[in-house]
Amino acid sequence: MLSSSASRTQMNSLLNPKLPSRISLFQLKFLSSLAVAENPSFFPIENDQIPSRFDPFQFFNVYAKSRQCTARITKIVHTHLTTTGLLQSDIFLSNSLLDLYCKSAAMVDALKLFDLIADRNFFSWNIMISGYNHISLFDMAWEMFCRMHTSGFGPDEFAYGSVLSACTALQAPIFGKQVYSLAIKNGFFPNGYVQSGMIDLFAKNCSFEDALRVFHDVSCQNVVSWNAIISGAVRNGENRVALHLFRKMFRGFLLPNSFTFSSVLTACAALEEIEVGKEVQGLVIKRGAEDVFVGTTIVDLYAKCGEMNEAVKEFKRMPTRNVVSWTAIISGFVHKDDYISALKFFGEMRKVGEQMNKYTVTSVLTACTRPSMTEEATQIHSLILKSGFFSAAVVGSALINAYSKIGAVDLSEMVFREMENIKDLRTWAAIISSFAQNQNSGRAIELFLRMLQESVRPDKFCTSSVLSIVDCLNLGRQIHSYTLKSGLVFDVSVGSSLFTMYSKCDSLEESYKVFQQIPDKDNVSWASMIAGFVEHGCADQALQLYREIPLEEIVPDQMTLTAILTACSALRSLRTGKEIHCHALRRGVEQDVLGGAIVTMYSKCNALSLARRVFDMLPQMDEVACSSLVSGCAQNGYVEEALQLFHEMLMADMTIDSFTISSILGAIALLNGLSIGTQLHAHITKVGFNSHVSVGSSLVTMYSKCASIEDCLKAFDQIEKPDLVCWTAMIVSYAQHGKGAEALQAYELLREQGIRPDSVTFVALLSACSHNGLVEEAYFYFSSMVQDYGLKPGDRHYACMVDLLSRSGRLKEAATFINNMPIKPDALIWGTLHAACKVHGDMELGKLVANKMMELEPSMDPGAYVSISNMYADAGQWEEVIKIRNQIKGTDMRKEPGWSFV
């Protein structure tokens, strides 16, 4: 062991400022080894006194290793060295004192000392640059490097590495490129520290392609550079590239370390490449490189691949676990929706005394998002307050989201108010999303406007959340103006929310304009716009839009294919639907993923055999596909098949939606099967669908067609909040059963509820008047339809009025009404009046009506000619009968012969 004086002599000679510009890593290690003193005991300095036999070399060596550097003790030593004159004569002591100041974060004192050092060397500059980096004063590190360069000192590899780290933290790639150019000029191009620093800078701040270019500039056998490029690939989502680089590194006989394995395992987890991950784990075991970090990434790999049993085994096998390990296993259970296990492991983590971090807290809060877990969420909330994590914006946002999903919006708002002084965009986005998810559009919009008033610029998350619930076109346009001003309109999520808002507000033209202006459309955008066209009855435009997708080099996904299949269903376009089906198969889209949409398309196109074939090929019974097939069979008259499939769904304990039940009820109504209908009504009541509006309407119609008006009324009374369809169904039922007064009373109740009637409602109302001879009432409602609601009467409304007047014997009035109609009367309207003339024996008017019907010969059916012929036969006018029969023979029309079972 060298003595202190010998050590000092060698240090002075080795640290001479006239050293060559580059010092090898081996030399640096040799330098540090010479600083070991004879007696490495540590002498604490108390009462600001220096021991009489104080060896500064021994002190610096031991004190620096003790990690107890404080500015006060450093200043005491500084004073002593200045007083004794040692500081000015020994550069090693100056640099050691400078290093202690930096380690104690006293950079102001360090700079003062640095400026006093006359013979600075590379270590002096490097200590200052690293010191500024250590306390995150990266701009000062950059300035110090610039001073070093302008002072004539050629930076060494450590200076380049430190300043590149500072440029990375400053997000200043331009500065980094200047440093890299200088390093290349001074011959440090192949150095591992310089290369890895530049790779890291590009990977974090520029583009991964630039980082790859730097990596391939020179063949490198330095594991640090390989680690930098592999971790950079993972950070930029280039996980396949990371695995390729790892294989290349391994083939080059360069041994990976624990940092390499951690990055590669993270890539495997992101890609869910469990088999590759197991191979890497085998290498870890073989190399003996498993530490707490690698063990954590192995746990995370199994968790993200859904193999929680293996994840738990690996977790329990770890000799040492840290908070990241615990968070990984908890997050894995949350991802698998196993909130019980997630909370169990969190409890074990608390028992062993492991301190949680904000990511642990957010994972546990995600596990407490079920309506039944209000108590657990409030307990975690209390723990957050106790542990001091409430000041973290990410934790506050997670807490707001948890309460929102539980349905406790009032608690979400309470948390938001308590974060008054620490709000950031994440908390604003969380509370606005909370109100939006719970359909409280008023509060969401109010908070959005408040953000603008407080000069907080809403980001894409806030803006998208608000747009998702805006149903006012004027307000939507104002938010659109904000997105244009802020530049958010070019974000794909904001753009999609914008055109969806316009579509929801029935402004399809503006919706399509916004869609066209989105620069980088994704599958969600395409699917949403296609769905918007379908919802507004423009399925043909939806198909045209779908044909434009290949031009954008977008591969349609499940969502887009489902939307276009819906368009095919709306158009009843079987050929196009088959093309989409084939396209999905070629793309490798699993048939069970699109099963429901494909079955629906074939069902709506009346291709029930194809629908059944696709249904039978599904790996398991799909609820959507089952419902679609049941509805298709019911709507196409295959009632028995619909009932059989519906029974299979019940036996399989599948969830049955209101649409399926409504379709089955419609089929039962066609069968006039009251007994089956009452059985189904009992099941509907059992599952709680009896108060549902669509099911209630179908029940009303079913009982009405089965001639049970009392049960019809009972079914209507069970509906919680009847809508227009329900009220109209009830009015139709009353009309069909000759209860005109009750039908009119139901209409008045509808108006009292503030429900606006439509044209179908007035058809039902006029039909009720017609069946009950309520002429004056019919005139009143016919006039009200136009004057009060601005509805234009159609063929069915005029037919009801003619039928009413004809039934009431007011034949001439009916004829006058027809002649004054603003639309051309068809054969049905004239036929209604002609039948009434026959009933009431008005031959003169009957002849006139017959002539009118003759004029509409192309649109007449054989039954109308037969009706006219019979009327002439009843009057004994056989010449006219022969004339009519000859007219029938002279056309392509053919009278179907009558037949009877009797």
Side-chain angles (χ1 to χ4, degrees):
M1 184 70 69
L2 294 173
S3 66
S4 298
S5 58
S7 173
R8 181 167 49 233
T9 303
Q10 292 206 27
M11 282 293 166
N12 284 331
S13 62
L14 288 170
L15 297 181
N16 193 289
K18 296 181 180 179
L19 282 173
S21 61
R22 280 175 285 175
I23 300 174
S24 69
L25 186 61
F26 173 77
Q27 289 173 320
L28 185 66
K29 290 181 178 178
F30 178 68
L31 293 180
S32 61
S33 67
L34 294 177
V36 179
E38 284 185 47
N39 183 10
S41 60
F42 175 65
F43 299 100
I45 300 174
E46 298 179 357
N47 301 322
D48 297 352
Q49 297 295 321
I50 297 293
S52 57
R53 299 185 62 183
F54 176 69
D55 188 333
F57 296 95
Q58 179 181 348
F59 171 81
F60 284 129
N61 182 56
V62 179
Y63 187 63
K65 290 181 180 179
S66 71
R67 297 183 181 179
Q68 297 179 6
C69 305
T70 65
R72 186 182 70 84
I73 294 177
T74 306
K75 286 180 180 179
I76 295 171
V77 175
H78 187 175
T79 303
H80 174 76
L81 293 176
T82 303
T83 304
T84 57
L86 293 173
L87 191 62
Q88 292 80 5
S89 60
D90 198 316
I91 186 62
F92 170 75
L93 293 180
S94 298
N95 285 340
S96 298
L97 188 62
L98 192 64
D99 186 49
L100 282 189
Y101 273 128
C102 291
K103 286 180 178 177
S104 60
M107 292 306 299
V108 175
D109 296 305
L111 184 59
K112 290 178 181 178
L113 173 61
F114 177 81
D115 289 336
L116 292 174
I117 299 175
D119 299 323
R120 304 185 195 107
N121 59 15
F122 294 103
F123 294 99
S124 311
W125 291 98
N126 288 348
I127 289 169
M128 287 300 295
I129 295 171
S130 299
Y132 282 123
N133 276 353
H134 181 67
I135 61 172
S136 301
L137 290 177
F138 303 109
D139 53 341
M140 296 299 295
W142 169 253
E143 288 183 15
M144 186 57 64
F145 178 82
C146 292
R147 277 186 63 186
M148 179 183 187
H149 179 64
T150 54
S151 298
F153 276 90
D156 63 0
E157 59 195 56
F158 303 108
Y160 284 123
S162 295
V163 77
L164 284 172
S165 297
C167 293
T168 302
L170 288 171
Q171 298 182 357
I174 295 177
F175 292 168
K177 289 176 181 178
Q178 293 175 0
V179 172
Y180 191 51
S181 300
L182 185 63
I184 294 173
K185 180 181 178 182
N186 291 335
F188 288 95
F189 177 63
N191 184 268
Y193 290 103
V194 177
Q195 189 183 33
S196 62
M198 201 61 202
I199 290 170
D200 195 47
L201 171 69
F202 278 136
K204 289 180 178 177
N205 294 301
C206 291
S207 66
F208 180 66
E209 289 75 14
D210 290 331
L212 268 178
R213 193 175 297 112
V214 171
F215 177 75
H216 290 304
D217 278 347
V218 64
S219 177
C220 181
Q221 295 300 314
N222 189 314
V223 71
V224 178
S225 297
W226 283 93
N227 285 347
I229 193 63
I230 292 172
S231 64
V234 174
R235 186 182 297 110
N236 285 274
E238 299 286 350
N239 297 293
R240 296 282 178 197
V241 177
L243 294 182
H244 173 73
L245 287 167
F246 175 70
R247 293 188 185 99
K248 188 175 179 182
M249 173 187 182
F250 207 72
R251 287 195 298 267
F253 303 104
L254 189 63
L255 295 180
N257 57 21
S258 61
F259 187 86
T260 320
F261 286 125
S262 295
S263 297
V264 173
L265 286 166
T266 302
C268 293
L271 294 169
E272 296 187 8
E273 288 279 4
I274 186 64
E275 295 304 322
V276 179
K278 287 179 179 179
E279 293 177 8
V280 177
Q281 184 185 6
L283 290 174
V284 170
I285 296 170
K286 183 178 179 180
R287 300 289 181 190
E290 188 172 1
D291 56 17
V292 65
F293 304 106
V294 176
T296 299
T297 52
I298 292 173
V299 170
D300 189 53
L301 166 71
Y302 284 115
K304 286 183 177 172
C305 292
E307 298 192 14
M308 289 310 300
N309 290 333
E310 291 297 321
V312 171
K313 286 180 185 177
E314 294 298 328
F315 178 78
K316 291 184 175 178
R317 207 169 57 81
M318 291 176 67
T320 306
R321 308 180 190 108
N322 60 13
V323 62
V324 182
S325 316
W326 284 97
T327 303
I329 195 72
I330 292 169
S331 299
F333 281 116
V334 172
H335 183 69
K336 288 285 287 183
D337 206 27
D338 186 354
Y339 63 93
I340 295 176
S341 298
L343 293 177
K344 175 186 172 185
F345 271 84
F346 180 67
E348 291 179 9
M349 175 183 176
R350 299 284 297 157
K351 283 181 183 177
V352 300
E354 184 67 57
Q355 294 295 319
M356 59 185 183
N357 61 19
K358 58 185 179 182
Y359 302 107
T360 318
V361 175
T362 54
S363 293
V364 174
L365 283 171
T366 306
C368 302
T369 54
R370 287 157 184 79
S372 59
M373 299 186 69
T374 306
E375 184 178 350
E376 288 82 355
T378 52
Q379 288 176 358
I380 301 297
H381 188 177
S382 301
L383 182 61
I384 290 169
L385 293 171
K386 182 179 178 182
S387 304
F389 284 107
F390 191 72
S391 58
V394 65
V395 174
S397 302
L399 195 54
I400 291 170
N401 286 327
Y403 280 135
S404 172
K405 290 180 179 177
I406 289 170
V409 189
D410 53 337
L411 295 177
S412 289
E413 191 167 11
M414 180 194 72
V415 173
F416 180 74
R417 285 197 305 268
E418 289 176 351
M419 298 184 71
E420 188 70 34
N421 298 324
I422 51 174
K423 288 194 195 94
D424 69 354
L425 279 174
R426 281 173 293 189
T427 56
W428 282 100
I431 191 63
I432 290 174
S433 175
S434 173
F435 284 121
Q437 290 171 6
N438 289 275
Q439 301 303 310
N440 192 339
S441 56
R443 288 291 290 133
I445 294 168
E446 180 184 332
L447 283 171
F448 184 81
L449 296 176
R450 183 178 154 196
M451 286 183 74
L452 296 173
Q453 291 168 357
E454 295 183 9
S455 299
V456 180
R457 295 184 61 184
D459 61 0
K460 60 182 180 180
F461 303 108
C462 300
T463 309
S464 298
S465 295
V466 169
L467 285 169
S468 68
I469 55 171
V470 169
D471 54 5
C472 172
L473 191 57
N474 185 40
L475 178 60
R477 284 172 176 160
Q478 292 180 47
I479 297 176
H480 188 180
S481 298
Y482 168 74
T483 64
L484 288 168
K485 183 179 178 181
S486 61
L488 288 173
V489 72
F490 300 110
D491 180 81
V492 65
S493 62
V494 175
S496 298
S497 299
L498 261 176
F499 73 71
T500 303
M501 179 274 298
Y502 279 121
S503 176
K504 195 165 54 177
C505 294
D506 296 324
S507 183
L508 192 60
E509 184 178 349
E510 288 181 274
S511 176
Y512 186 53
K513 283 181 181 178
V514 174
F515 171 79
Q516 289 178 309
Q517 292 169 0
I518 299 175
D520 298 315
K521 304 177 186 69
D522 58 6
N523 267 304
V524 177
S525 307
W526 287 98
S528 300
M529 193 66 244
I530 290 170
F533 277 127
V534 175
E535 289 168 6
H536 286 81
C538 302
D540 52 343
Q541 289 179 258
L543 284 176
Q544 180 59 40
L545 188 64
Y546 175 74
R547 294 187 181 100
E548 295 176 11
I549 293 180
L551 303 176
E552 300 288 335
E553 298 182 353
I554 295 286
V555 178
D557 63 358
Q558 173 196 347
M559 187 185 308
T560 311
L561 292 173
T562 301
I564 200 61
L565 283 168
T566 306
C568 295
S569 301
L571 289 171
R572 304 291 194 272
S573 178
L574 180 60
R575 180 179 176 180
T576 307
K578 286 181 178 179
E579 291 175 358
I580 303 301
H581 187 183
C582 293
H583 175 75
L585 293 174
R586 285 199 306 270
R587 287 290 183 186
V589 180
E590 296 294 334
Q591 188 151 287
D592 57 332
V593 173
L594 292 173
I598 294 172
V599 171
T600 301
M601 181 271 296
Y602 284 131
S603 299
K604 291 283 182 69
C605 295
N606 296 330
L608 290 176
S609 59
L610 291 175
R612 184 73 200 203
R613 191 184 305 172
V614 173
F615 178 79
D616 292 337
M617 290 172 61
L618 296 178
Q620 57 185 7
M621 284 186 71
D622 177 77
E623 292 174 358
V624 176
C626 279
S627 298
S628 299
L629 191 56
V630 168
S631 302
C633 290
Q635 292 167 5
N636 287 281
Y638 297 94
V639 180
E640 292 183 2
E641 290 84 347
L643 290 172
Q644 178 62 35
L645 189 56
F646 181 73
H647 182 261
E648 291 176 12
M649 291 181 70
L650 291 176
M651 292 299 98
D653 198 27
M654 298 180 70
T655 303
I656 299 174
D657 59 13
S658 58
F659 179 74
T660 308
I661 293 176
S662 298
S663 299
I664 285 292
L665 286 170
I668 293 171
L670 293 175
L671 279 178
N672 198 16
L674 184 59
S675 61
I676 301 176
T678 52
Q679 293 178 44
L680 183 56
H681 191 178
H683 175 75
I684 290 169
T685 304
K686 181 180 178 182
V687 298
F689 270 133
N690 56 315
S691 62
H692 197 282
V693 287
S694 64
V695 175
S697 300
S698 300
L699 275 171
V700 168
T701 303
M702 186 270 294
Y703 280 125
S704 175
K705 290 185 177 180
C706 293
S708 180
I709 191 64
E710 292 79 11
D711 291 326
C712 188
L713 182 58
K714 288 178 183 177
F716 180 82
D717 290 337
Q718 289 179 341
I719 302 172
E720 187 175 350
K721 291 182 179 179
D723 61 0
L724 177 61
V725 177
C726 298
W727 283 103
T728 302
M730 197 65 224
I731 294 171
V732 170
S733 300
Y734 280 132
Q736 290 173 346
H737 288 81
K739 295 183 176 293
E742 289 82 351
L744 300 186
Q745 185 180 3
Y747 173 74
E748 294 303 325
L749 290 173
L750 175 151
R751 293 184 60 197
E752 290 176 9
Q753 296 292 324
I755 299 174
R756 179 185 174 87
D758 62 3
S759 59
V760 180
T761 311
F762 279 103
V763 169
L765 198 59
L766 294 173
S767 178
C769 294
S770 175
H771 285 84
N772 292 271
L774 303 174
V775 179
E776 300 304 323
E777 289 82 352
Y779 271 118
F780 171 78
Y781 290 121
F782 189 85
S783 176
S784 173
M785 173 185 176
V786 178
Q787 295 178 4
D788 297 336
Y789 298 102
L791 297 173
K792 186 178 181 180
D795 291 342
R796 296 181 65 189
H797 301 99
Y798 288 113
C800 286
M801 290 299 296
V802 172
D803 183 58
L804 169 62
L805 294 172
S806 300
R807 285 173 182 265
S808 303
R810 300 163 73 162
L811 303 180
K812 291 183 179 179
E813 188 177 343
T816 303
F817 183 86
I818 293 174
N819 290 325
N820 292 330
M821 283 170 49
I823 62 174
K824 186 177 181 180
D826 58 10
L828 174 63
I829 292 178
W830 285 117
T832 302
L833 181 56
H834 185 267
C837 291
K838 181 180 176 182
V839 171
H840 292 281
D842 192 337
M843 294 298 298
E844 293 299 323
L845 182 59
K847 289 180 181 179
L848 293 174
V849 173
N851 291 330
K852 290 287 186 182
M853 295 176 72
M854 295 295 186
E855 293 174 3
L856 297 172
E857 181 179 341
S859 61
M860 287 179 64
D861 59 54
Y865 281 94
V866 172
S867 177
I868 297 171
S869 174
N870 291 340
M871 186 187 74
Y872 284 125
D874 291 341
Q877 298 181 12
W878 299 107
E879 293 181 0
E880 296 294 333
V881 172
I882 294 171
K883 187 186 296 184
I884 295 297
R885 296 298 174 110
N886 289 334
Q887 284 184 344
I888 294 177
K889 291 178 182 178
T891 65
D892 294 332
M893 290 184 292
R894 178 174 171 270
K895 178 186 178 297
E896 294 293 335
W899 58 274
S900 173
F901 285 113
V902 180

